[in-house]
Amino acid sequence: MTTGDFVIRGAAVADGTGAPLYRADVAVRGGRIAGIGERLDGGNAIDAGGLVLAPGFIDMHAHSELAVLADHDHLAKLGQGVTLEVLGQDGLSYAPVDEATAPQMREAIAAWNGPLDVEYDWRTVGEYLDRLDRGIDGRGIPVNAAYLVPHGTVRMLAMGWDDRPPTGAELAAMRAQVAQGMEEGAFGLSAGLSYTPGMYAATAELVELCAVVARYGGYFGPHQRSYGAGAMEGYAEMIQIAREAGCALHLAHATLNYEVNAGRAAELLKLVDEALDEGVPVSLDTYPYLPGMTMLAALLPSWSLAGGYGALRERLGSPETRARIVHELDVTGTDGANGVPGHWDRYEIAGVANPELRGYVGRSVAEAAGAQRPAEFFLDLLVRDDFGTGCLMHVGNEENVRAIMRHGVHTGSSDGVLAGDKIHPRAWGSFARYLGHYTRELGLFTVEECVAHLTGRPAAVLGLPDRGLVKEGFAADLVLFDPATVDARSTFAEPRRQAAGIPYVFVNGALAIDNGDRTDALAGGSVRRPGWRA
C-alpha cells in the first residue's frame, strides 16, 4: 500500500498526550489524519483489534545521517516504530562544511557513521536537508528527519581544531553559520563538549551561539562536558548557558555514569526542577540501557587532539608526550573520559575500520591488550585503525536510569550508532524496550504515559505543529503495536534484530511496515523548523 485513503479500525488509541486509551477508528487521507470516530469510511481497512495505535515515535538523539540515504529498509528504526529522527547530534555532523573540512569531518566521525557510502554532494545545512528530500534514487528516505546545527562542525569551519578562544571575526563567522542553518530549517544547536574541537569552547562562546538559536525559537541540545566525575558541574553549566542566552535547553542522553554518580539522579533532577521554576525551558532524553557507546578516541585528553588527528599522530611519536597521555588515562582521568581513570575492563571494542583488526571486536581493551599495558594498547589500536574504532562503555547505573526516565520533561531516544561490527542494541531496541521492559514488565509507566514520552513530548520540544499526536489534520505518522508482546529483541550478542510486537508503521500515510515486513515505501523527508526561510 502506498500513500492513500484507508481506515484503521478498532484501535486502542494512545494519542500522545498521556490521556487514557480510548477505542476508535482512524481515517487517513492524503497522508493526513482525516477523521477519528466510530465506523468511519474510506478505502482500505486495517483491523487493529488488540493493538494500540500511537503517533510515530520520535528519536530525539539519532546518528542516521548517512543511513537514511543509503539503507532502504532502515529496520533499526522503522522496525521499532520510529518515524522521525533528530540528526546532527553531539556537535559533529556533515553540514555545514567546506571543501577543506568535509574530508576532516568524514574522518572525525567514521566510528559513528562508518565509511561515507553516499556522494557527499552537500555543504550547507539547507543542501543536506534538500538531499534528504531527494533521498534514495529520488524517491525519499525511510523516515522523516530533523537536524541540529553541530557546534563542533561550525567551530572547525571557522577556526579549525585549535584549542583556543575564537577571535572576534571567528565568533562572528560561527554566529553567521548558526543563523544560516536555523534559517535553512535546523531546529537548534547541538554540542559535543567532550569531543574535539567542541570541547575547546568556553561557556561564553556557547552563550553567544545559543543567543542566535534563541532568536529563531530553537533549542540547545548539548552532550555536556562530563557524565562522570564532573557530571553535576556539567549539567549546571548547560543550564547557565540556557539561562544567559534565553534559549530552550534539551539535555542529550541525560545520564549519570560510573560509581561516583551511583544514586545521584535526584541531584540532577533538582537542578532541572529549579531551572523550570525559574522559567528556563528544560527537557531531556535518555536511552533505556546502562552501557554507553562512542568512538574510542573520545577517551583521549583534549589537549592531545588540538590540531586534529594528524597532530595527534605526531605527538604520539614523542615518548614524553605519549607517557603524559598514558598517565592521564590511567591515573588522573582525562576530560574526554569523563574525568575518571580508565576502566579498561569495561571499555569494549565494538567496531573497527580496518578489517585486519576485527579479531578485537567484542573484547574489552584490557582483554585485547594481553600482556601490554591497556593504555598503550589503546593508543596503538587507534593509530592502526586510523581512529575509526567504536566502543561500548559498561559504566551505567540502573537506579539513575529509572529515576531520570520518569521525570515530567523526559523524552525517548536511541543514541543509535548503526555502523560497526558490534553495535549497541539500543539502535534497534530502545523504543520497544521502553514499551516492553519498562512499561509492561516493570510497570514504571502506563502504556499511554510511555507513548507520550516517545511522541507528544518530543514533538512539543521541537515545536512541531502537526506531528506527535493522533489528531485530525496531523501527519499520519502512526504505529500499531501489541502491548502484550512489544519488546526489544536486539541484544549485545545479536544487536541487529528487529523489535517484536510492532506489526504496522506508517510514515506520512504510507505503510512502511506491513504485518512486520518492510514494504517498498520511501515516504520520509526533511522536517524543517516552523518558520524557516526557503
Side-chain angles (χ1 to χ4, degrees):
M1 183 193 300
T2 58
T3 304
D5 297 352
F6 59 92
V7 175
I8 299 169
R9 296 202 181 281
V13 179
D15 66 5
T17 68
L21 296 170
Y22 65 91
R23 188 77 55 186
D25 292 354
V26 174
V28 173
R29 297 190 187 94
R32 296 267 163 183
I33 297 173
I36 304 171
E38 297 181 2
R39 295 184 295 277
L40 299 181
D41 295 325
N44 297 295
I46 295 174
D47 181 5
L51 302 178
V52 172
L53 176 67
F57 305 140
I58 298 175
D59 189 342
M60 287 295 286
H61 192 103
H63 291 280
S64 302
E65 288 95 329
L66 303 182
V68 293
L69 292 170
D71 179 10
H72 172 281
D73 287 352
H74 202 44
L75 282 171
K77 298 305 177 68
L78 279 175
Q80 56 177 317
V82 172
T83 59
L84 171 60
E85 300 184 72
V86 185
L87 311 176
Q89 300 288 350
D90 293 328
L92 294 168
S93 191
Y94 297 98
V97 292
D98 59 16
E99 297 307 312
T101 60
Q104 296 176 46
M105 184 50 55
R106 181 169 53 211
E107 179 184 49
I109 53 177
W112 288 346
N113 295 65
L116 195 69
D117 50 5
V118 297
E119 185 180 358
Y120 200 170
D121 56 358
W122 63 86
R123 294 295 178 262
T124 68
V125 170
E127 289 171 351
Y128 175 66
L129 295 175
D130 289 344
R131 180 68 181 83
L132 293 178
D133 289 333
R134 293 197 303 276
I136 299 172
D137 299 327
R139 299 173 54 209
I141 55 178
V143 297
N144 299 303
Y147 195 75
L148 300 176
V149 180
H151 163 255
T153 305
V154 167
R155 199 176 207 269
M156 189 188 306
L157 186 59
M159 54 184 293
W161 293 74
D162 293 351
D163 182 1
R164 60 174 176 82
T167 65
E170 289 165 343
L171 184 58
M174 284 192 275
R175 284 197 301 257
Q177 285 290 346
V178 172
Q180 180 179 336
M182 295 298 293
E183 290 183 0
E184 291 172 343
F187 283 81
L189 178 75
S190 77
L193 302 178
S194 64
Y195 302 123
T196 55
M199 65 198 313
Y200 303 139
T203 302
E205 175 183 319
L206 296 164
V207 170
E208 287 281 341
L209 299 181
C210 286
V212 175
V213 172
R215 293 203 305 267
Y216 291 93
Y219 70 87
F220 179 40
H223 169 122
Q224 58 139 339
R225 297 190 194 275
S226 174
Y227 295 90
M232 292 304 172
E233 294 81 3
Y235 283 121
E237 181 194 11
M238 299 305 101
I239 291 171
Q240 175 191 347
I241 289 167
R243 182 186 296 115
E244 293 185 14
C247 185
L249 174 65
H250 182 79
L251 297 169
H253 41 52
T255 189
L256 293 161
N257 293 329
Y258 301 94
E259 291 85 349
V260 68
N261 287 316
R264 298 185 70 190
E267 296 177 49
L268 166 59
L269 299 178
K270 184 173 184 288
L271 288 175
V272 170
D273 288 337
E274 289 173 348
L276 290 167
D277 289 343
E278 293 174 28
V280 180
V282 183
S283 55
L284 54 85
D285 66 68
T286 68
Y287 51 84
Y289 292 87
L290 297 188
M293 186 175 190
T294 188
M295 59 188 84
L296 195 62
L299 303 177
L300 290 163
S302 59
W303 62 263
S304 71
L305 283 161
Y309 288 141
L312 172 63
R313 287 187 183 92
E314 293 183 12
R315 291 188 181 103
L316 291 176
S318 162
E320 294 81 8
T321 303
R322 187 182 179 101
R324 178 186 171 190
I325 295 172
V326 168
H327 178 79
E328 290 193 22
L329 287 165
D330 278 349
V331 179
T332 63
T334 73
D335 48 4
N338 297 292
V340 177
H343 286 51
W344 301 115
D345 59 335
R346 301 189 193 178
Y347 300 154
E348 180 182 352
I349 299 165
V352 292
N354 182 349
E356 296 179 2
L357 303 174
R358 283 188 178 145
Y360 294 129
V361 172
R363 302 164 70 183
S364 71
V365 173
E367 179 188 358
Q372 188 179 9
R373 183 172 180 171
E376 293 280 4
F377 170 81
F378 159 80
L379 294 175
D380 290 342
L381 176 63
L382 290 178
V383 172
R384 291 171 65 192
D385 202 28
D386 202 23
F387 305 98
T389 316
C391 75
L392 287 161
M393 304 171 69
H394 298 272
V395 295
N397 177 277
E398 179 69 18
E399 181 183 351
N400 289 339
V401 167
R402 295 190 192 186
I404 294 168
M405 72 168 60
R406 287 185 56 80
H407 193 272
V409 298
H410 169 266
T411 66
S413 71
S414 71
D415 195 9
V417 172
L418 300 173
D421 298 285
K422 186 180 181 184
I423 64 172
H424 197 303
R426 68 192 183 191
W428 287 68
S430 288
F431 295 84
R433 182 169 168 82
Y434 267 119
L435 291 164
H437 181 62
Y438 285 101
T439 298
R440 182 182 62 251
E441 295 177 3
L442 298 183
L444 265 65
F445 312 101
T446 65
V447 169
E448 50 267 49
E449 286 172 342
C450 186
V451 167
H453 284 241
L454 309 181
T455 61
R457 284 190 192 173
V461 172
L462 292 163
L464 298 175
D466 62 350
R467 295 179 193 271
L469 301 176
V470 178
K471 185 176 180 179
E472 288 189 22
F474 273 47
D477 292 342
L478 299 168
V479 179
L480 280 165
F481 66 89
D482 183 346
T485 63
V486 61
D487 211 351
R489 297 176 66 247
S490 57
T491 65
F492 286 97
E494 296 182 85
R496 291 180 170 90
R497 299 181 69 196
Q498 186 176 338
I502 303 179
Y504 298 99
V505 180
F506 302 85
V507 178
N508 294 318
L511 187 56
I513 300 292
D514 183 2
N515 199 27
D517 295 326
R518 182 69 171 96
T519 72
D520 194 41
L522 289 170
S526 72
V527 174
R528 309 194 192 206
R529 179 185 58 81
W532 74 283
R533 302 176 187 178

PDB file of all heavy atoms in Angstrom, residues 290-317:
ATOM      1  N   LEU A 290      22.033   0.582  30.151  1.00  0.00           N
ATOM      2  CA  LEU A 290      23.113   1.045  31.014  1.00  0.00           C
ATOM      3  C   LEU A 290      24.382   1.415  30.246  1.00  0.00           C
ATOM      4  O   LEU A 290      24.950   2.472  30.499  1.00  0.00           O
ATOM      5  CB  LEU A 290      23.439  -0.027  32.066  1.00  0.00           C
ATOM      6  CG  LEU A 290      22.320  -0.364  33.049  1.00  0.00           C
ATOM      7  CD1 LEU A 290      22.848  -1.295  34.141  1.00  0.00           C
ATOM      8  CD2 LEU A 290      21.729   0.890  33.657  1.00  0.00           C
ATOM      9  N   PRO A 291      24.894   0.601  29.332  1.00  0.00           N
ATOM     10  CA  PRO A 291      26.130   0.980  28.655  1.00  0.00           C
ATOM     11  C   PRO A 291      25.931   2.164  27.705  1.00  0.00           C
ATOM     12  O   PRO A 291      24.851   2.359  27.135  1.00  0.00           O
ATOM     13  CB  PRO A 291      26.518  -0.282  27.872  1.00  0.00           C
ATOM     14  CG  PRO A 291      25.752  -1.383  28.516  1.00  0.00           C
ATOM     15  CD  PRO A 291      24.469  -0.754  28.966  1.00  0.00           C
ATOM     16  N   GLY A 292      26.986   2.940  27.546  1.00  0.00           N
ATOM     17  CA  GLY A 292      27.030   3.967  26.516  1.00  0.00           C
ATOM     18  C   GLY A 292      27.840   3.479  25.339  1.00  0.00           C
ATOM     19  O   GLY A 292      28.427   2.395  25.360  1.00  0.00           O
ATOM     20  N   MET A 293      27.885   4.293  24.295  1.00  0.00           N
ATOM     21  CA  MET A 293      28.667   3.941  23.122  1.00  0.00           C
ATOM     22  C   MET A 293      29.194   5.209  22.468  1.00  0.00           C
ATOM     23  O   MET A 293      28.486   6.216  22.381  1.00  0.00           O
ATOM     24  CB  MET A 293      27.833   3.161  22.099  1.00  0.00           C
ATOM     25  CG  MET A 293      28.635   2.637  20.925  1.00  0.00           C
ATOM     26  SD  MET A 293      27.649   1.593  19.822  1.00  0.00           S
ATOM     27  CE  MET A 293      28.973   0.926  18.780  1.00  0.00           C
ATOM     28  N   THR A 294      30.439   5.175  22.031  1.00  0.00           N
ATOM     29  CA  THR A 294      31.013   6.326  21.352  1.00  0.00           C
ATOM     30  C   THR A 294      32.233   5.859  20.561  1.00  0.00           C
ATOM     31  O   THR A 294      32.478   4.654  20.417  1.00  0.00           O
ATOM     32  CB  THR A 294      31.387   7.431  22.360  1.00  0.00           C
ATOM     33  OG1 THR A 294      31.760   8.614  21.644  1.00  0.00           O
ATOM     34  CG2 THR A 294      32.522   7.015  23.273  1.00  0.00           C
ATOM     35  N   MET A 295      33.004   6.819  20.068  1.00  0.00           N
ATOM     36  CA  MET A 295      34.264   6.500  19.401  1.00  0.00           C
ATOM     37  C   MET A 295      35.339   6.324  20.468  1.00  0.00           C
ATOM     38  O   MET A 295      35.387   7.061  21.460  1.00  0.00           O
ATOM     39  CB  MET A 295      34.633   7.600  18.410  1.00  0.00           C
ATOM     40  CG  MET A 295      34.783   8.976  19.009  1.00  0.00           C
ATOM     41  SD  MET A 295      35.003  10.279  17.774  1.00  0.00           S
ATOM     42  CE  MET A 295      33.306  10.616  17.342  1.00  0.00           C
ATOM     43  N   LEU A 296      36.198   5.350  20.292  1.00  0.00           N
ATOM     44  CA  LEU A 296      37.228   5.064  21.293  1.00  0.00           C
ATOM     45  C   LEU A 296      38.156   6.262  21.482  1.00  0.00           C
ATOM     46  O   LEU A 296      38.628   6.529  22.595  1.00  0.00           O
ATOM     47  CB  LEU A 296      38.017   3.820  20.878  1.00  0.00           C
ATOM     48  CG  LEU A 296      38.898   3.164  21.944  1.00  0.00           C
ATOM     49  CD1 LEU A 296      38.065   2.680  23.113  1.00  0.00           C
ATOM     50  CD2 LEU A 296      39.679   2.001  21.339  1.00  0.00           C
ATOM     51  N   ALA A 297      38.394   7.014  20.418  1.00  0.00           N
ATOM     52  CA  ALA A 297      39.289   8.167  20.508  1.00  0.00           C
ATOM     53  C   ALA A 297      38.749   9.254  21.417  1.00  0.00           C
ATOM     54  O   ALA A 297      39.498  10.139  21.856  1.00  0.00           O
ATOM     55  CB  ALA A 297      39.544   8.739  19.114  1.00  0.00           C
ATOM     56  N   ALA A 298      37.454   9.213  21.716  1.00  0.00           N
ATOM     57  CA  ALA A 298      36.869  10.232  22.586  1.00  0.00           C
ATOM     58  C   ALA A 298      37.459  10.197  23.988  1.00  0.00           C
ATOM     59  O   ALA A 298      37.348  11.181  24.726  1.00  0.00           O
ATOM     60  CB  ALA A 298      35.360  10.051  22.660  1.00  0.00           C
ATOM     61  N   LEU A 299      38.085   9.098  24.390  1.00  0.00           N
ATOM     62  CA  LEU A 299      38.642   8.987  25.732  1.00  0.00           C
ATOM     63  C   LEU A 299      39.929   9.781  25.903  1.00  0.00           C
ATOM     64  O   LEU A 299      40.389   9.993  27.034  1.00  0.00           O
ATOM     65  CB  LEU A 299      38.916   7.518  26.061  1.00  0.00           C
ATOM     66  CG  LEU A 299      37.719   6.557  25.957  1.00  0.00           C
ATOM     67  CD1 LEU A 299      38.165   5.132  26.238  1.00  0.00           C
ATOM     68  CD2 LEU A 299      36.624   6.965  26.925  1.00  0.00           C
ATOM     69  N   LEU A 300      40.504  10.257  24.824  1.00  0.00           N
ATOM     70  CA  LEU A 300      41.769  10.975  24.891  1.00  0.00           C
ATOM     71  C   LEU A 300      41.617  12.335  25.565  1.00  0.00           C
ATOM     72  O   LEU A 300      40.550  12.944  25.523  1.00  0.00           O
ATOM     73  CB  LEU A 300      42.320  11.178  23.479  1.00  0.00           C
ATOM     74  CG  LEU A 300      42.830   9.932  22.767  1.00  0.00           C
ATOM     75  CD1 LEU A 300      42.938  10.184  21.270  1.00  0.00           C
ATOM     76  CD2 LEU A 300      44.183   9.504  23.347  1.00  0.00           C
ATOM     77  N   PRO A 301      42.698  12.857  26.166  1.00  0.00           N
ATOM     78  CA  PRO A 301      42.642  14.224  26.693  1.00  0.00           C
ATOM     79  C   PRO A 301      42.525  15.228  25.554  1.00  0.00           C
ATOM     80  O   PRO A 301      43.106  15.041  24.476  1.00  0.00           O
ATOM     81  CB  PRO A 301      43.969  14.373  27.441  1.00  0.00           C
ATOM     82  CG  PRO A 301      44.876  13.343  26.843  1.00  0.00           C
ATOM     83  CD  PRO A 301      44.002  12.210  26.414  1.00  0.00           C
ATOM     84  N   SER A 302      41.788  16.286  25.803  1.00  0.00           N
ATOM     85  CA  SER A 302      41.511  17.249  24.732  1.00  0.00           C
ATOM     86  C   SER A 302      42.777  17.885  24.177  1.00  0.00           C
ATOM     87  O   SER A 302      42.882  18.127  22.971  1.00  0.00           O
ATOM     88  CB  SER A 302      40.550  18.321  25.229  1.00  0.00           C
ATOM     89  OG  SER A 302      41.100  19.014  26.343  1.00  0.00           O
ATOM     90  N   TRP A 303      43.741  18.178  25.054  1.00  0.00           N
ATOM     91  CA  TRP A 303      44.953  18.847  24.563  1.00  0.00           C
ATOM     92  C   TRP A 303      45.696  18.002  23.535  1.00  0.00           C
ATOM     93  O   TRP A 303      46.358  18.532  22.639  1.00  0.00           O
ATOM     94  CB  TRP A 303      45.889  19.199  25.731  1.00  0.00           C
ATOM     95  CG  TRP A 303      46.404  18.020  26.510  1.00  0.00           C
ATOM     96  CD1 TRP A 303      45.909  17.515  27.661  1.00  0.00           C
ATOM     97  CD2 TRP A 303      47.534  17.191  26.160  1.00  0.00           C
ATOM     98  NE1 TRP A 303      46.641  16.408  28.080  1.00  0.00           N
ATOM     99  CE2 TRP A 303      47.649  16.201  27.175  1.00  0.00           C
ATOM    100  CE3 TRP A 303      48.453  17.185  25.112  1.00  0.00           C
ATOM    101  CZ2 TRP A 303      48.644  15.228  27.166  1.00  0.00           C
ATOM    102  CZ3 TRP A 303      49.448  16.211  25.089  1.00  0.00           C
ATOM    103  CH2 TRP A 303      49.536  15.245  26.103  1.00  0.00           C
ATOM    104  N   SER A 304      45.585  16.674  23.645  1.00  0.00           N
ATOM    105  CA  SER A 304      46.324  15.796  22.735  1.00  0.00           C
ATOM    106  C   SER A 304      45.763  15.832  21.316  1.00  0.00           C
ATOM    107  O   SER A 304      46.450  15.453  20.362  1.00  0.00           O
ATOM    108  CB  SER A 304      46.314  14.357  23.258  1.00  0.00           C
ATOM    109  OG  SER A 304      45.027  13.767  23.139  1.00  0.00           O
ATOM    110  N   LEU A 305      44.510  16.282  21.173  1.00  0.00           N
ATOM    111  CA  LEU A 305      43.850  16.305  19.869  1.00  0.00           C
ATOM    112  C   LEU A 305      43.829  17.686  19.224  1.00  0.00           C
ATOM    113  O   LEU A 305      43.258  17.854  18.155  1.00  0.00           O
ATOM    114  CB  LEU A 305      42.418  15.782  20.011  1.00  0.00           C
ATOM    115  CG  LEU A 305      42.288  14.258  20.133  1.00  0.00           C
ATOM    116  CD1 LEU A 305      40.947  13.884  20.729  1.00  0.00           C
ATOM    117  CD2 LEU A 305      42.469  13.605  18.775  1.00  0.00           C
ATOM    118  N   ALA A 306      44.414  18.678  19.886  1.00  0.00           N
ATOM    119  CA  ALA A 306      44.464  20.015  19.290  1.00  0.00           C
ATOM    120  C   ALA A 306      45.179  19.943  17.943  1.00  0.00           C
ATOM    121  O   ALA A 306      46.269  19.395  17.835  1.00  0.00           O
ATOM    122  CB  ALA A 306      45.178  20.986  20.220  1.00  0.00           C
ATOM    123  N   GLY A 307      44.539  20.460  16.916  1.00  0.00           N
ATOM    124  CA  GLY A 307      45.086  20.384  15.568  1.00  0.00           C
ATOM    125  C   GLY A 307      44.611  19.187  14.777  1.00  0.00           C
ATOM    126  O   GLY A 307      44.913  19.075  13.587  1.00  0.00           O
ATOM    127  N   GLY A 308      43.865  18.265  15.418  1.00  0.00           N
ATOM    128  CA  GLY A 308      43.296  17.134  14.702  1.00  0.00           C
ATOM    129  C   GLY A 308      44.112  15.861  14.842  1.00  0.00           C
ATOM    130  O   GLY A 308      45.129  15.801  15.539  1.00  0.00           O
ATOM    131  N   TYR A 309      43.659  14.828  14.135  1.00  0.00           N
ATOM    132  CA  TYR A 309      44.290  13.518  14.247  1.00  0.00           C
ATOM    133  C   TYR A 309      45.720  13.508  13.713  1.00  0.00           C
ATOM    134  O   TYR A 309      46.578  12.771  14.206  1.00  0.00           O
ATOM    135  CB  TYR A 309      43.459  12.473  13.513  1.00  0.00           C
ATOM    136  CG  TYR A 309      42.158  12.118  14.213  1.00  0.00           C
ATOM    137  CD1 TYR A 309      40.997  11.899  13.485  1.00  0.00           C
ATOM    138  CD2 TYR A 309      42.098  11.990  15.594  1.00  0.00           C
ATOM    139  CE1 TYR A 309      39.804  11.572  14.119  1.00  0.00           C
ATOM    140  CE2 TYR A 309      40.921  11.660  16.234  1.00  0.00           C
ATOM    141  CZ  TYR A 309      39.773  11.450  15.499  1.00  0.00           C
ATOM    142  OH  TYR A 309      38.598  11.123  16.130  1.00  0.00           O
ATOM    143  N   GLY A 310      45.994  14.327  12.703  1.00  0.00           N
ATOM    144  CA  GLY A 310      47.357  14.398  12.185  1.00  0.00           C
ATOM    145  C   GLY A 310      48.326  14.894  13.240  1.00  0.00           C
ATOM    146  O   GLY A 310      49.427  14.348  13.405  1.00  0.00           O
ATOM    147  N   ALA A 311      47.917  15.925  13.976  1.00  0.00           N
ATOM    148  CA  ALA A 311      48.764  16.453  15.048  1.00  0.00           C
ATOM    149  C   ALA A 311      48.927  15.419  16.160  1.00  0.00           C
ATOM    150  O   ALA A 311      49.997  15.300  16.767  1.00  0.00           O
ATOM    151  CB  ALA A 311      48.163  17.745  15.595  1.00  0.00           C
ATOM    152  N   LEU A 312      47.864  14.655  16.441  1.00  0.00           N
ATOM    153  CA  LEU A 312      47.959  13.623  17.465  1.00  0.00           C
ATOM    154  C   LEU A 312      48.981  12.558  17.075  1.00  0.00           C
ATOM    155  O   LEU A 312      49.775  12.108  17.910  1.00  0.00           O
ATOM    156  CB  LEU A 312      46.598  12.985  17.696  1.00  0.00           C
ATOM    157  CG  LEU A 312      46.574  11.758  18.606  1.00  0.00           C
ATOM    158  CD1 LEU A 312      47.034  12.109  20.017  1.00  0.00           C
ATOM    159  CD2 LEU A 312      45.181  11.138  18.637  1.00  0.00           C
ATOM    160  N   ARG A 313      48.968  12.157  15.818  1.00  0.00           N
ATOM    161  CA  ARG A 313      49.932  11.146  15.368  1.00  0.00           C
ATOM    162  C   ARG A 313      51.366  11.607  15.640  1.00  0.00           C
ATOM    163  O   ARG A 313      52.216  10.829  16.070  1.00  0.00           O
ATOM    164  CB  ARG A 313      49.753  10.869  13.876  1.00  0.00           C
ATOM    165  CG  ARG A 313      48.518  10.064  13.524  1.00  0.00           C
ATOM    166  CD  ARG A 313      48.528   9.693  12.046  1.00  0.00           C
ATOM    167  NE  ARG A 313      47.325   8.975  11.678  1.00  0.00           N
ATOM    168  CZ  ARG A 313      46.220   9.558  11.211  1.00  0.00           C
ATOM    169  NH1 ARG A 313      46.176  10.873  11.062  1.00  0.00           N
ATOM    170  NH2 ARG A 313      45.172   8.835  10.882  1.00  0.00           N
ATOM    171  N   GLU A 314      51.629  12.888  15.384  1.00  0.00           N
ATOM    172  CA  GLU A 314      52.974  13.419  15.634  1.00  0.00           C
ATOM    173  C   GLU A 314      53.279  13.407  17.131  1.00  0.00           C
ATOM    174  O   GLU A 314      54.387  13.052  17.548  1.00  0.00           O
ATOM    175  CB  GLU A 314      53.082  14.831  15.085  1.00  0.00           C
ATOM    176  CG  GLU A 314      53.002  14.916  13.562  1.00  0.00           C
ATOM    177  CD  GLU A 314      53.185  16.340  13.066  1.00  0.00           C
ATOM    178  OE1 GLU A 314      53.593  17.206  13.869  1.00  0.00           O
ATOM    179  OE2 GLU A 314      52.930  16.583  11.871  1.00  0.00           O
ATOM    180  N   ARG A 315      52.312  13.765  17.959  1.00  0.00           N
ATOM    181  CA  ARG A 315      52.541  13.793  19.406  1.00  0.00           C
ATOM    182  C   ARG A 315      52.849  12.398  19.935  1.00  0.00           C
ATOM    183  O   ARG A 315      53.654  12.238  20.856  1.00  0.00           O
ATOM    184  CB  ARG A 315      51.309  14.368  20.123  1.00  0.00           C
ATOM    185  CG  ARG A 315      51.085  15.841  19.856  1.00  0.00           C
ATOM    186  CD  ARG A 315      49.972  16.409  20.729  1.00  0.00           C
ATOM    187  NE  ARG A 315      49.771  17.818  20.418  1.00  0.00           N
ATOM    188  CZ  ARG A 315      48.774  18.305  19.687  1.00  0.00           C
ATOM    189  NH1 ARG A 315      47.850  17.479  19.208  1.00  0.00           N
ATOM    190  NH2 ARG A 315      48.695  19.588  19.437  1.00  0.00           N
ATOM    191  N   LEU A 316      52.184  11.399  19.385  1.00  0.00           N
ATOM    192  CA  LEU A 316      52.401  10.038  19.875  1.00  0.00           C
ATOM    193  C   LEU A 316      53.797   9.524  19.535  1.00  0.00           C
ATOM    194  O   LEU A 316      54.242   8.522  20.094  1.00  0.00           O
ATOM    195  CB  LEU A 316      51.337   9.096  19.301  1.00  0.00           C
ATOM    196  CG  LEU A 316      49.914   9.314  19.821  1.00  0.00           C
ATOM    197  CD1 LEU A 316      48.934   8.382  19.115  1.00  0.00           C
ATOM    198  CD2 LEU A 316      49.850   9.108  21.328  1.00  0.00           C
ATOM    199  N   GLY A 317      54.477  10.212  18.633  1.00  0.00           N
ATOM    200  CA  GLY A 317      55.856   9.852  18.319  1.00  0.00           C
ATOM    201  C   GLY A 317      56.855  10.322  19.352  1.00  0.00           C
ATOM    202  O   GLY A 317      58.018   9.919  19.333  1.00  0.00           O
TER     203      GLY A 317
END
